[in-house]
Amino acid sequence: MSSALTDLFPHPIVQAPMAGGVSVPRLAAAVSDAGGLGFLAAGHKTADGMYQEIKQLRGLTGRPFGVNLFMPQPESADPAAVEVYAHQLAGEATWYETELGDPDSGRDDGYDAKFAVLLDNPVKVASFHFGIPSGEALQTLRRAGTFTLVTATTPEEALAVQYAGADAVIAQGVEAGGHQGTHRDIPEQDDSGLGLLSLVAQIRETVTLPIVAAGGIMRGSQIAAVLAAGADAAQLGTAFLATHESGAHDVHKQALTNPLYVRTELTRAFSGRPARGLVNRFMREHGPYAPAAYPEIHHLTTPLRKAAAKAKDAQGMSLWAGQGHRMARELPAGQLVELLAAELADARTALSAKGDLR
């Protein structure tokens, strides 16, 4: 690991910031206390809600942790396409006895207010998804003592992250659960994502920044693989989604290893942006028709997803999960960090032994 990252957390293990109530303070605290880097997800929260979670987390741990922000999105959605999709979802609203959300509920996710909170109450690490903050913003955070990471899904995006002045890049492979952090939402490129090992190797040859690898990682041996490919640390989301401290709905946790859910797919059905989740009825019926319209579709489907969760109906929920979901382990988060670290050490020992035999 690079010294800048090593100083923050002993183990090269980062808990991915999962929006939607999964990355709660108790989860981040457990990960950080065990020697990893815990993360809060500010996406889809108010600035005050984010501040209250930071305050709560500071009361749970004295270890470093991170906060993730969504970048504001350009106005590119076709209102007519959103309206057509709303008509298609009318039956879902009737079934769940709720109303569809207002697609025009805001598109910047309160970014400026949340950024101001991070300046007034600096955290050790801040990461950004769906784009790159300005160079000035990144420098301002650095002066406040905050280490910055930005997601990239291609070598070209990673190069842009380096030019902007971020401290590190998160290389997100197509295997990753949840939303792909592409800087531009281009529907024609939905099926062109790079696998993690290939992505890490290409980014390693493109930039000099430290790399945090993300996408389908569930075991210590996989962490060893991405480190060997050129990463400095690994970011795991789905692996922590099933832990005791995770704020995920019990139905979501159980679905990860339920034989009913045999695969994941990238879909725009729930949010209008490509996101990987367990294939369920909602995804099958609506995914092929969902337009490229984030966050309009996210706002539109929010009441439906909440109603499905309240009814414990997994077929109507957004069951975000990476390709390694069947390998999820239901453990306390701190114990999982320790187990991953032990598996990583074993994998390194095995690789060293093989090298000695040659």
Side-chain angles (χ1 to χ4, degrees):
M1 294 174 65
S2 70
S3 59
L5 288 178
T6 303
D7 292 343
L8 294 175
F9 47 106
H11 300 310
I13 298 169
V14 179
Q15 166 245 312
M18 294 167 280
V22 178
S23 297
V24 291
R26 64 179 180 272
L27 172 60
V31 172
S32 290
D33 282 345
L37 181 67
F39 249 97
L40 293 175
H44 309 317
K45 289 187 176 74
T46 64
D48 183 63
M50 182 190 82
Y51 169 72
Q52 294 301 328
E53 288 204 344
I54 292 173
K55 186 177 178 181
Q56 183 182 349
L57 180 50
R58 283 187 168 134
L60 294 174
T61 182
R63 297 288 305 164
F65 61 86
V67 176
N68 173 259
L69 269 62
F70 287 168
M71 294 300 299
Q73 298 300 289
E75 294 186 17
S76 58
D78 178 358
V82 174
E83 184 176 357
V84 168
Y85 194 57
H87 284 300
Q88 180 177 330
L89 296 179
E92 298 282 351
T94 300
W95 175 257
Y96 289 114
E97 298 181 340
T98 188
E99 299 290 332
L100 294 175
D102 179 5
D104 299 317
S105 297
R107 55 183 320 99
D108 67 357
D109 200 46
Y111 175 80
D112 289 340
K114 292 174 185 177
F115 192 89
V117 170
L118 292 184
L119 292 182
D120 291 338
N121 303 270
V123 296
K124 288 295 185 182
V125 182
S127 68
F128 299 87
H129 211 55
F130 299 150
I132 312 173
S134 68
E136 180 182 356
L138 292 168
Q139 290 176 11
T140 301
L141 286 173
R142 184 178 296 111
R143 288 194 293 269
T146 299
F147 189 91
T148 57
L149 303 94
V150 179
T151 301
T153 61
T154 66
E156 293 76 17
E157 289 181 348
L159 193 59
V161 170
Q162 178 167 281
Y163 283 155
D167 295 312
V169 60
I170 299 171
Q172 185 192 36
V174 73
E175 305 95 329
H179 285 88
Q180 288 284 295
T182 51
H183 296 180
R184 295 178 59 206
D185 187 11
I186 305 174
E188 293 77 15
Q189 297 180 4
D190 280 0
D191 298 321
S192 62
L194 291 170
L196 182 58
L197 286 177
S198 176
L199 178 64
V200 168
Q202 292 182 53
I203 289 180
R204 182 70 291 155
E205 295 189 1
T206 304
V207 303
T208 59
L209 294 176
I211 298 172
V212 177
I217 301 173
M218 304 292 287
R219 296 287 187 267
S221 58
Q222 294 171 290
I223 297 175
V226 295
L227 296 182
D232 296 274
Q235 179 172 280
L236 294 77
T238 306
F240 285 105
L241 194 153
T243 60
H244 296 177
E245 295 87 350
S246 161
H249 195 292
D250 286 343
V251 170
H252 192 170
K253 291 184 179 183
Q254 294 161 8
L256 295 175
T257 54
N258 187 332
L260 179 65
Y261 302 98
V262 298
R263 61 191 175 89
T264 64
E265 281 186 4
L266 288 172
T267 185
R268 294 178 180 269
F270 297 101
S271 71
R273 236 184 184 273
R276 183 173 298 281
L278 303 176
V279 177
N280 61 4
R281 176 195 60 80
F282 194 101
M283 190 186 296
R284 287 192 298 269
E285 292 183 1
H286 303 295
Y289 311 103
Y294 177 87
E296 288 85 354
I297 301 304
H298 163 77
H299 295 315
L300 191 69
T301 66
T302 294
L304 299 179
R305 290 179 279 118
K306 288 183 177 179
K310 184 177 181 180
K312 298 183 178 181
D313 179 8
Q315 296 300 327
M317 297 168 61
S318 50
L319 303 174
W320 303 138
Q323 288 183 344
H325 65 95
R326 299 297 293 274
M327 302 168 72
R329 297 178 283 201
E330 188 179 344
L331 296 169
Q335 186 177 332
L336 178 58
V337 172
E338 294 169 358
L339 180 56
L340 289 166
E343 291 173 345
L344 170 59
D346 289 344
R348 283 172 159 168
T349 298
L351 287 172
S352 178
K354 289 180 179 178
D356 292 341
L357 290 175
R358 295 191 185 96

mmCIF file of all heavy atoms in Angstrom, residues 5 147-155 157-162 166-172 183 203-204 207-214 231-233:
data_model
loop_
_atom_site.group_PDB
_atom_site.id
_atom_site.type_symbol
_atom_site.label_atom_id
_atom_site.label_comp_id
_atom_site.label_asym_id
_atom_site.label_seq_id
_atom_site.Cartn_x
_atom_site.Cartn_y
_atom_site.Cartn_z
ATOM 1 N N LEU A 5 -2.113 5.837 2.237
ATOM 2 C CA LEU A 5 -3.219 4.977 2.622
ATOM 3 C C LEU A 5 -2.882 4.153 3.858
ATOM 4 O O LEU A 5 -3.730 3.959 4.735
ATOM 5 C CB LEU A 5 -3.590 4.042 1.468
ATOM 6 C CG LEU A 5 -4.286 4.662 0.259
ATOM 7 C CD1 LEU A 5 -4.542 3.614 -0.802
ATOM 8 C CD2 LEU A 5 -5.582 5.334 0.657
ATOM 9 N N PHE A 147 -8.244 13.279 2.641
ATOM 10 C CA PHE A 147 -7.703 12.484 1.533
ATOM 11 C C PHE A 147 -8.853 12.209 0.569
ATOM 12 O O PHE A 147 -9.927 11.767 0.981
ATOM 13 C CB PHE A 147 -7.137 11.169 2.081
ATOM 14 C CG PHE A 147 -6.354 10.350 1.099
ATOM 15 C CD1 PHE A 147 -4.983 10.502 0.972
ATOM 16 C CD2 PHE A 147 -6.988 9.400 0.301
ATOM 17 C CE1 PHE A 147 -4.256 9.723 0.076
ATOM 18 C CE2 PHE A 147 -6.276 8.629 -0.598
ATOM 19 C CZ PHE A 147 -4.903 8.787 -0.710
ATOM 20 N N THR A 148 -8.662 12.446 -0.736
ATOM 21 C CA THR A 148 -9.759 12.351 -1.693
ATOM 22 C C THR A 148 -9.595 11.199 -2.671
ATOM 23 O O THR A 148 -8.499 10.946 -3.176
ATOM 24 C CB THR A 148 -9.910 13.657 -2.488
ATOM 25 O OG1 THR A 148 -8.672 13.967 -3.140
ATOM 26 C CG2 THR A 148 -10.310 14.799 -1.578
ATOM 27 N N LEU A 149 -10.690 10.500 -2.922
ATOM 28 C CA LEU A 149 -10.746 9.424 -3.904
ATOM 29 C C LEU A 149 -11.898 9.697 -4.858
ATOM 30 O O LEU A 149 -12.946 10.215 -4.446
ATOM 31 C CB LEU A 149 -10.971 8.061 -3.245
ATOM 32 C CG LEU A 149 -9.992 7.572 -2.183
ATOM 33 C CD1 LEU A 149 -10.511 7.936 -0.801
ATOM 34 C CD2 LEU A 149 -9.834 6.061 -2.280
ATOM 35 N N VAL A 150 -11.721 9.322 -6.130
ATOM 36 C CA VAL A 150 -12.774 9.482 -7.133
ATOM 37 C C VAL A 150 -12.882 8.188 -7.927
ATOM 38 O O VAL A 150 -11.875 7.600 -8.326
ATOM 39 C CB VAL A 150 -12.472 10.659 -8.083
ATOM 40 C CG1 VAL A 150 -13.584 10.787 -9.131
ATOM 41 C CG2 VAL A 150 -12.317 11.956 -7.303
ATOM 42 N N THR A 151 -14.109 7.741 -8.158
ATOM 43 C CA THR A 151 -14.349 6.508 -8.910
ATOM 44 C C THR A 151 -14.058 6.703 -10.386
ATOM 45 O O THR A 151 -14.376 7.738 -10.976
ATOM 46 C CB THR A 151 -15.808 6.052 -8.743
ATOM 47 O OG1 THR A 151 -16.078 5.831 -7.363
ATOM 48 C CG2 THR A 151 -16.070 4.771 -9.518
ATOM 49 N N ALA A 152 -13.453 5.678 -11.004
ATOM 50 C CA ALA A 152 -13.232 5.640 -12.448
ATOM 51 C C ALA A 152 -13.552 4.240 -12.943
ATOM 52 O O ALA A 152 -13.249 3.254 -12.271
ATOM 53 C CB ALA A 152 -11.794 6.007 -12.789
ATOM 54 N N THR A 153 -14.158 4.153 -14.109
ATOM 55 C CA THR A 153 -14.505 2.851 -14.686
ATOM 56 C C THR A 153 -13.713 2.545 -15.953
ATOM 57 O O THR A 153 -13.876 1.486 -16.545
ATOM 58 C CB THR A 153 -16.012 2.781 -15.005
ATOM 59 O OG1 THR A 153 -16.337 3.804 -15.965
ATOM 60 C CG2 THR A 153 -16.850 2.993 -13.744
ATOM 61 N N THR A 154 -12.856 3.485 -16.367
ATOM 62 C CA THR A 154 -11.993 3.292 -17.534
ATOM 63 C C THR A 154 -10.647 3.956 -17.253
ATOM 64 O O THR A 154 -10.546 4.841 -16.390
ATOM 65 C CB THR A 154 -12.584 3.931 -18.799
ATOM 66 O OG1 THR A 154 -12.606 5.365 -18.632
ATOM 67 C CG2 THR A 154 -13.998 3.424 -19.084
ATOM 68 N N PRO A 155 -9.603 3.571 -17.985
ATOM 69 C CA PRO A 155 -8.316 4.262 -17.827
ATOM 70 C C PRO A 155 -8.414 5.747 -18.151
ATOM 71 O O PRO A 155 -7.744 6.571 -17.516
ATOM 72 C CB PRO A 155 -7.412 3.536 -18.831
ATOM 73 C CG PRO A 155 -8.026 2.185 -18.997
ATOM 74 C CD PRO A 155 -9.503 2.414 -18.898
ATOM 75 N N GLU A 157 -10.994 7.726 -17.668
ATOM 76 C CA GLU A 157 -11.576 8.409 -16.508
ATOM 77 C C GLU A 157 -10.552 8.538 -15.395
ATOM 78 O O GLU A 157 -10.485 9.568 -14.709
ATOM 79 C CB GLU A 157 -12.808 7.650 -16.018
ATOM 80 C CG GLU A 157 -14.012 7.758 -16.945
ATOM 81 C CD GLU A 157 -15.231 7.016 -16.423
ATOM 82 O OE1 GLU A 157 -15.099 6.229 -15.455
ATOM 83 O OE2 GLU A 157 -16.335 7.204 -16.983
ATOM 84 N N ALA A 158 -9.732 7.512 -15.202
ATOM 85 C CA ALA A 158 -8.698 7.560 -14.167
ATOM 86 C C ALA A 158 -7.694 8.676 -14.452
ATOM 87 O O ALA A 158 -7.237 9.369 -13.531
ATOM 88 C CB ALA A 158 -7.980 6.214 -14.081
ATOM 89 N N LEU A 159 -7.360 8.850 -15.721
ATOM 90 C CA LEU A 159 -6.438 9.917 -16.094
ATOM 91 C C LEU A 159 -7.043 11.284 -15.785
ATOM 92 O O LEU A 159 -6.359 12.194 -15.291
ATOM 93 C CB LEU A 159 -6.093 9.813 -17.580
ATOM 94 C CG LEU A 159 -4.914 10.650 -18.072
ATOM 95 C CD1 LEU A 159 -3.628 10.291 -17.328
ATOM 96 C CD2 LEU A 159 -4.725 10.458 -19.581
ATOM 97 N N ALA A 160 -8.334 11.426 -16.039
ATOM 98 C CA ALA A 160 -9.022 12.679 -15.728
ATOM 99 C C ALA A 160 -9.038 12.928 -14.218
ATOM 100 O O ALA A 160 -8.912 14.072 -13.768
ATOM 101 C CB ALA A 160 -10.454 12.645 -16.274
ATOM 102 N N VAL A 161 -9.175 11.854 -13.439
ATOM 103 C CA VAL A 161 -9.136 11.968 -11.982
ATOM 104 C C VAL A 161 -7.767 12.479 -11.529
ATOM 105 O O VAL A 161 -7.664 13.356 -10.670
ATOM 106 C CB VAL A 161 -9.447 10.602 -11.324
ATOM 107 C CG1 VAL A 161 -9.176 10.644 -9.818
ATOM 108 C CG2 VAL A 161 -10.899 10.202 -11.575
ATOM 109 N N GLN A 162 -6.721 11.958 -12.141
ATOM 110 C CA GLN A 162 -5.366 12.392 -11.787
ATOM 111 C C GLN A 162 -5.148 13.852 -12.170
ATOM 112 O O GLN A 162 -4.592 14.635 -11.386
ATOM 113 C CB GLN A 162 -4.332 11.515 -12.486
ATOM 114 C CG GLN A 162 -2.895 11.925 -12.209
ATOM 115 C CD GLN A 162 -1.892 10.867 -12.644
ATOM 116 O OE1 GLN A 162 -1.678 9.878 -11.956
ATOM 117 N NE2 GLN A 162 -1.292 11.067 -13.808
ATOM 118 N N ALA A 166 -7.028 14.604 -7.574
ATOM 119 C CA ALA A 166 -7.447 13.718 -6.491
ATOM 120 C C ALA A 166 -6.241 12.965 -5.942
ATOM 121 O O ALA A 166 -5.221 12.810 -6.617
ATOM 122 C CB ALA A 166 -8.499 12.734 -6.989
ATOM 123 N N ASP A 167 -6.355 12.484 -4.711
ATOM 124 C CA ASP A 167 -5.252 11.769 -4.077
ATOM 125 C C ASP A 167 -5.177 10.310 -4.490
ATOM 126 O O ASP A 167 -4.111 9.690 -4.411
ATOM 127 C CB ASP A 167 -5.385 11.840 -2.552
ATOM 128 C CG ASP A 167 -5.232 13.263 -2.030
ATOM 129 O OD1 ASP A 167 -4.270 13.935 -2.435
ATOM 130 O OD2 ASP A 167 -6.080 13.691 -1.222
ATOM 131 N N ALA A 168 -6.300 9.717 -4.904
ATOM 132 C CA ALA A 168 -6.329 8.311 -5.305
ATOM 133 C C ALA A 168 -7.541 8.073 -6.191
ATOM 134 O O ALA A 168 -8.471 8.887 -6.238
ATOM 135 C CB ALA A 168 -6.376 7.387 -4.083
ATOM 136 N N VAL A 169 -7.521 6.955 -6.899
ATOM 137 C CA VAL A 169 -8.628 6.592 -7.784
ATOM 138 C C VAL A 169 -9.216 5.254 -7.353
ATOM 139 O O VAL A 169 -8.481 4.339 -6.952
ATOM 140 C CB VAL A 169 -8.161 6.526 -9.262
ATOM 141 C CG1 VAL A 169 -7.057 5.491 -9.449
ATOM 142 C CG2 VAL A 169 -9.335 6.232 -10.192
ATOM 143 N N ILE A 170 -10.530 5.168 -7.400
ATOM 144 C CA ILE A 170 -11.216 3.903 -7.153
ATOM 145 C C ILE A 170 -11.505 3.281 -8.512
ATOM 146 O O ILE A 170 -12.295 3.821 -9.295
ATOM 147 C CB ILE A 170 -12.532 4.094 -6.381
ATOM 148 C CG1 ILE A 170 -12.260 4.729 -5.012
ATOM 149 C CG2 ILE A 170 -13.256 2.758 -6.208
ATOM 150 C CD1 ILE A 170 -13.518 5.150 -4.279
ATOM 151 N N ALA A 171 -10.855 2.165 -8.803
ATOM 152 C CA ALA A 171 -11.067 1.468 -10.072
ATOM 153 C C ALA A 171 -12.251 0.527 -9.897
ATOM 154 O O ALA A 171 -12.146 -0.494 -9.220
ATOM 155 C CB ALA A 171 -9.819 0.689 -10.459
ATOM 156 N N GLN A 172 -13.383 0.879 -10.486
ATOM 157 C CA GLN A 172 -14.604 0.079 -10.320
ATOM 158 C C GLN A 172 -14.838 -0.799 -11.542
ATOM 159 O O GLN A 172 -15.149 -0.309 -12.630
ATOM 160 C CB GLN A 172 -15.815 0.985 -10.087
ATOM 161 C CG GLN A 172 -17.093 0.201 -9.779
ATOM 162 C CD GLN A 172 -18.336 1.062 -9.845
ATOM 163 O OE1 GLN A 172 -18.436 1.959 -10.684
ATOM 164 N NE2 GLN A 172 -19.280 0.806 -8.961
ATOM 165 N N HIS A 183 -18.380 8.584 -15.444
ATOM 166 C CA HIS A 183 -18.409 10.041 -15.388
ATOM 167 C C HIS A 183 -19.460 10.619 -16.323
ATOM 168 O O HIS A 183 -19.978 11.706 -16.073
ATOM 169 C CB HIS A 183 -17.023 10.601 -15.738
ATOM 170 C CG HIS A 183 -15.973 10.204 -14.755
ATOM 171 N ND1 HIS A 183 -14.649 10.607 -14.869
ATOM 172 C CD2 HIS A 183 -16.030 9.428 -13.632
ATOM 173 C CE1 HIS A 183 -13.952 10.105 -13.856
ATOM 174 N NE2 HIS A 183 -14.764 9.381 -13.104
ATOM 175 N N ILE A 203 -5.247 0.826 -15.565
ATOM 176 C CA ILE A 203 -5.139 2.086 -14.830
ATOM 177 C C ILE A 203 -3.743 2.222 -14.217
ATOM 178 O O ILE A 203 -3.171 3.315 -14.190
ATOM 179 C CB ILE A 203 -6.242 2.179 -13.757
ATOM 180 C CG1 ILE A 203 -7.606 2.396 -14.425
ATOM 181 C CG2 ILE A 203 -5.959 3.315 -12.774
ATOM 182 C CD1 ILE A 203 -8.777 2.500 -13.455
ATOM 183 N N ARG A 204 -3.181 1.098 -13.761
ATOM 184 C CA ARG A 204 -1.843 1.132 -13.172
ATOM 185 C C ARG A 204 -0.806 1.626 -14.186
ATOM 186 O O ARG A 204 0.163 2.307 -13.822
ATOM 187 C CB ARG A 204 -1.459 -0.260 -12.678
ATOM 188 C CG ARG A 204 -0.101 -0.393 -12.000
ATOM 189 C CD ARG A 204 -0.055 0.277 -10.631
ATOM 190 N NE ARG A 204 -0.130 1.741 -10.703
ATOM 191 C CZ ARG A 204 -0.576 2.516 -9.717
ATOM 192 N NH1 ARG A 204 -0.996 1.983 -8.589
ATOM 193 N NH2 ARG A 204 -0.608 3.817 -9.851
ATOM 194 N N VAL A 207 -1.875 5.880 -14.766
ATOM 195 C CA VAL A 207 -1.731 6.936 -13.767
ATOM 196 C C VAL A 207 -0.730 6.525 -12.687
ATOM 197 O O VAL A 207 -0.392 5.341 -12.548
ATOM 198 C CB VAL A 207 -3.082 7.285 -13.097
ATOM 199 C CG1 VAL A 207 -4.108 7.691 -14.145
ATOM 200 C CG2 VAL A 207 -3.600 6.107 -12.265
ATOM 201 N N THR A 208 -0.281 7.502 -11.931
ATOM 202 C CA THR A 208 0.643 7.239 -10.819
ATOM 203 C C THR A 208 -0.061 7.274 -9.469
ATOM 204 O O THR A 208 0.571 7.078 -8.436
ATOM 205 C CB THR A 208 1.773 8.280 -10.819
ATOM 206 O OG1 THR A 208 1.203 9.597 -10.692
ATOM 207 C CG2 THR A 208 2.579 8.196 -12.106
ATOM 208 N N LEU A 209 -1.356 7.526 -9.474
ATOM 209 C CA LEU A 209 -2.115 7.612 -8.227
ATOM 210 C C LEU A 209 -2.246 6.241 -7.554
ATOM 211 O O LEU A 209 -2.228 5.204 -8.226
ATOM 212 C CB LEU A 209 -3.531 8.125 -8.506
ATOM 213 C CG LEU A 209 -3.714 9.551 -9.004
ATOM 214 C CD1 LEU A 209 -5.182 9.819 -9.295
ATOM 215 C CD2 LEU A 209 -3.183 10.546 -7.972
ATOM 216 N N PRO A 210 -2.416 6.205 -6.233
ATOM 217 C CA PRO A 210 -2.798 4.959 -5.566
ATOM 218 C C PRO A 210 -4.154 4.490 -6.106
ATOM 219 O O PRO A 210 -5.007 5.308 -6.464
ATOM 220 C CB PRO A 210 -2.911 5.354 -4.092
ATOM 221 C CG PRO A 210 -2.101 6.593 -3.962
ATOM 222 C CD PRO A 210 -2.224 7.309 -5.273
ATOM 223 N N ILE A 211 -4.336 3.180 -6.169
ATOM 224 C CA ILE A 211 -5.561 2.600 -6.723
ATOM 225 C C ILE A 211 -6.272 1.770 -5.661
ATOM 226 O O ILE A 211 -5.660 0.921 -5.010
ATOM 227 C CB ILE A 211 -5.250 1.701 -7.933
ATOM 228 C CG1 ILE A 211 -4.606 2.505 -9.055
ATOM 229 C CG2 ILE A 211 -6.508 1.012 -8.434
ATOM 230 C CD1 ILE A 211 -4.090 1.640 -10.203
ATOM 231 N N VAL A 212 -7.563 2.011 -5.509
ATOM 232 C CA VAL A 212 -8.420 1.164 -4.688
ATOM 233 C C VAL A 212 -9.310 0.384 -5.651
ATOM 234 O O VAL A 212 -10.061 0.977 -6.428
ATOM 235 C CB VAL A 212 -9.282 1.997 -3.716
ATOM 236 C CG1 VAL A 212 -10.230 1.089 -2.928
ATOM 237 C CG2 VAL A 212 -8.394 2.792 -2.764
ATOM 238 N N ALA A 213 -9.202 -0.946 -5.637
ATOM 239 C CA ALA A 213 -9.914 -1.788 -6.592
ATOM 240 C C ALA A 213 -11.271 -2.207 -6.037
ATOM 241 O O ALA A 213 -11.371 -2.645 -4.885
ATOM 242 C CB ALA A 213 -9.086 -3.036 -6.916
ATOM 243 N N ALA A 214 -12.318 -2.086 -6.860
ATOM 244 C CA ALA A 214 -13.674 -2.421 -6.427
ATOM 245 C C ALA A 214 -14.399 -3.216 -7.506
ATOM 246 O O ALA A 214 -14.309 -2.892 -8.690
ATOM 247 C CB ALA A 214 -14.459 -1.143 -6.124
ATOM 248 N N ALA A 231 -3.181 -2.735 -7.577
ATOM 249 C CA ALA A 231 -3.964 -1.926 -6.644
ATOM 250 C C ALA A 231 -3.227 -1.776 -5.321
ATOM 251 O O ALA A 231 -2.347 -2.567 -4.976
ATOM 252 C CB ALA A 231 -5.330 -2.557 -6.407
ATOM 253 N N ASP A 232 -3.606 -0.748 -4.556
ATOM 254 C CA ASP A 232 -3.033 -0.514 -3.236
ATOM 255 C C ASP A 232 -3.966 -0.982 -2.123
ATOM 256 O O ASP A 232 -3.533 -1.195 -0.995
ATOM 257 C CB ASP A 232 -2.749 0.981 -3.058
ATOM 258 C CG ASP A 232 -1.705 1.471 -4.049
ATOM 259 O OD1 ASP A 232 -0.515 1.362 -3.750
ATOM 260 O OD2 ASP A 232 -2.106 1.941 -5.139
ATOM 261 N N ALA A 233 -5.249 -1.122 -2.444
ATOM 262 C CA ALA A 233 -6.243 -1.591 -1.483
ATOM 263 C C ALA A 233 -7.444 -2.093 -2.261
ATOM 264 O O ALA A 233 -7.561 -1.876 -3.475
ATOM 265 C CB ALA A 233 -6.648 -0.476 -0.515
#
